[in-house]
Each structure stands twice: as structure tokens, then as C-alpha cells.
Amino acid sequence: MMNEPEKSDPSTVAAKPANKTGRSDAESVEPRGGAKGNTTKPHTHRTQSRASVSPGLERVRERARQGKKERFTALLHQVTVDLLRTAYLKLKRGAAPGVDGTTWREYGHDLEAKLVDLHGRVQRGAYRALPSRRKFIQKEDGRERPLGIAALEDKIVQRAVVEVFNAIYEQDFLGFSYGFRPGRGQHDALDALAVGITYTKVSWIVDADVRSFFDSISHEWLIRFAEHRIGDPRMIRLIRKWLRLA
């Protein structure tokens, strides 16, 4: 790993079970008819696989678990060349390019040199995010949903930063939270719901959605919430760059 001298975590690495013991039946993700391929999967993990997490992020995760109110003031050094490489490999190969026109395969030519250069720019503060390419998707009701397509390097850095943030926030999320979390999807949520309504007396089921949530969310409040845990101004600056250009 290519880390800076300052660190926000101790040298000890502690093990932690993937899920809390004694969780409810609805969280155990029992099989549900119609969820293709989901019945043979192991129970959903609360956090990322240990094999995919670096020792540095493992220490961050353990500190986040032990200190629910701790703010992490030095996180950018966790964005290593190795993490950027992993982020690149996890991107969709055939995804539409951003404003730079660079595809996944094109960026893969001389990949290591590009990742080393990108890592250096991120650490020096010389990394500049590009504006997202706007695309509109037709909705069932006839309206159009705007979609922002980030440039490939922005996708790489964003995914790497998400991995760092996951090490912290996965310790805070509750077991019945399924949205935008690693190893959890809509089929897992439906399985948990099926168990809940099968083995528990239910009188009402409420289906609610916040209209245009991501279009209207306050960026300043989003930053404020992030700053409860993220005290590294360089990471906050990255978030602001992406929000401004989304």
C-alpha cells in the first residue's frame, strides 16, 4: 500500500462477525418464491467481504465500529493505487462514456501508468472532476428521468471513495436497511419482507416513495451529515466537486 505517514487508525486489526447476532427473522433473508438465483445464495452480509478489504480499511472499520461518534480526519491516504485498480475492475465494461468519451477498454490500455498518475493527482489535490454527461430516460408515466454519466476517471475515484466510506458507514446501518449497500439488493429486501409477513401478524403494508428525492436533496445538508463522520477536508472537497458537476 502507498500510504502517507499520517494515519487515522491504529495498527491493530480486529475481527467482527458480518452480522449482529440475534437479529430478527425478517433480516435473515429466507428464500422467497420468484427471486431467481437468490435462494441459493448465502445469507446477506452486513459489510463487504473481508477478502476484498485492505488492512488499512479494516482498521478504519474497526475504529468506526468501536466509536460510533468518532470523526475520521485522515482518510485520503486510504485511496491507494490498489483501491483505484479494484474500483476500475468493478466498473461496467459496456457502460456509456462520459463527456471525455473514454470507454472502460480504452482506459485499460497502459492501465498501471494511468492509475499511478491518477493516484498522484488525487493525493496532491490536482485531480479535477469533469462535468457529468446528461442523458434522459423515459419513465412509464411519460416523464423523463435525468441521468448524469460521469467520466471514467471520475467513476474510478468515486467508487474508491465509496469503498472507504463503506468501511465507516456499514458499521452504523441497521440490519433492515437495504438501499445502496454492498451485498444487498432489492431481491434481498423482498425476501426479508416475505419472511416478515409470513411469520408475523401484519395489518398494514405501506409503500412510499419520495418524489424526485435526488433532484431536490439539499447538497449543504448532505455535506453536514457526512461531516458527522468524515472529518478529512480533502474527502469533503471531493464530494463537493462531484455534487457541483453532477
Side-chain angles (χ1 to χ4, degrees):
M1 292 178 59
M2 302 174 63
N3 290 346
E4 296 177 355
E6 63 170 344
K7 295 184 178 180
S8 62
D9 43 59
S11 59
T12 57
V13 180
K16 170 183 175 293
N19 287 295
K20 288 183 178 181
T21 58
R23 61 182 183 175
S24 66
D25 288 339
E27 290 184 41
S28 64
V29 192
E30 294 296 334
R32 166 185 59 86
K36 294 182 178 180
N38 199 39
T39 58
T40 58
K41 293 192 303 181
H43 287 180
T44 303
H45 294 290
R46 182 173 181 181
T47 57
Q48 308 101 306
S49 169
R50 288 293 190 268
S52 66
V53 179
S54 69
L57 287 183
E58 183 66 31
R59 291 192 291 270
V60 170
R61 181 191 327 212
E62 181 59 20
R63 289 220 24 205
R65 186 187 68 82
Q66 294 179 356
K68 294 298 184 180
K69 295 184 178 181
E70 181 167 355
R71 297 178 75 237
F72 291 81
T73 58
L75 286 173
L76 189 63
H77 68 275
Q78 299 291 353
V79 180
T80 63
V81 173
D82 287 341
L83 188 59
L84 292 172
R85 185 187 306 107
T86 299
Y88 166 79
L89 293 174
K90 286 184 177 180
L91 294 178
K92 293 181 179 179
R93 272 60 167 167
V99 294
D100 60 345
T102 303
T103 65
W104 185 89
R105 294 189 182 280
E106 290 171 345
Y107 196 84
H109 298 154
D110 200 16
L111 176 63
E112 290 305 311
K114 291 178 180 175
L115 292 178
V116 170
D117 175 69
L118 177 59
H119 173 262
R121 283 184 279 129
V122 169
Q123 297 297 324
R124 296 193 310 270
Y127 159 76
R128 296 292 181 267
L130 293 176
S132 296
R133 181 166 72 88
R134 183 66 68 187
K135 183 177 180 180
F136 292 90
I137 299 177
Q138 194 75 21
K139 300 178 68 173
E140 293 181 358
D141 59 4
R143 294 181 300 168
E144 291 183 324
R145 181 169 68 90
L147 181 67
I149 303 176
L152 196 101
E153 276 198 341
D154 294 333
K155 290 180 182 179
I156 294 173
V157 181
Q158 288 171 5
R159 183 173 284 271
V161 169
V162 166
E163 290 295 323
V164 176
F165 285 2
N166 277 343
I168 298 171
Y169 288 107
E170 278 295 305
Q171 314 312 310
D172 298 338
F173 291 143
L174 299 177
F176 52 75
S177 174
Y178 290 87
F180 301 97
R181 294 179 61 190
R184 287 176 176 247
Q186 63 269 35
H187 291 302
D188 300 307
L190 289 173
D191 283 351
L193 177 62
V195 172
I197 63 178
T198 300
Y199 296 100
T200 304
K201 183 178 180 180
V202 176
S203 299
W204 295 90
I205 295 179
V206 179
D207 181 13
D209 189 16
V210 180
R211 178 181 298 176
S212 302
F213 175 76
F214 291 106
D215 298 335
S216 57
I217 187 173
S218 168
H219 291 174
E220 287 306 314
W221 275 106
L222 185 65
I223 293 295
R224 287 189 188 185
F225 281 119
E227 287 176 335
H228 283 300
R229 285 295 234 168
I230 310 301
D232 188 334
R234 299 169 300 175
M235 298 292 266
I236 296 296
R237 196 174 302 121
L238 284 175
I239 300 176
R240 287 189 180 278
K241 287 181 180 179
W242 295 325
L243 290 175
R244 186 175 64 252
L245 298 174

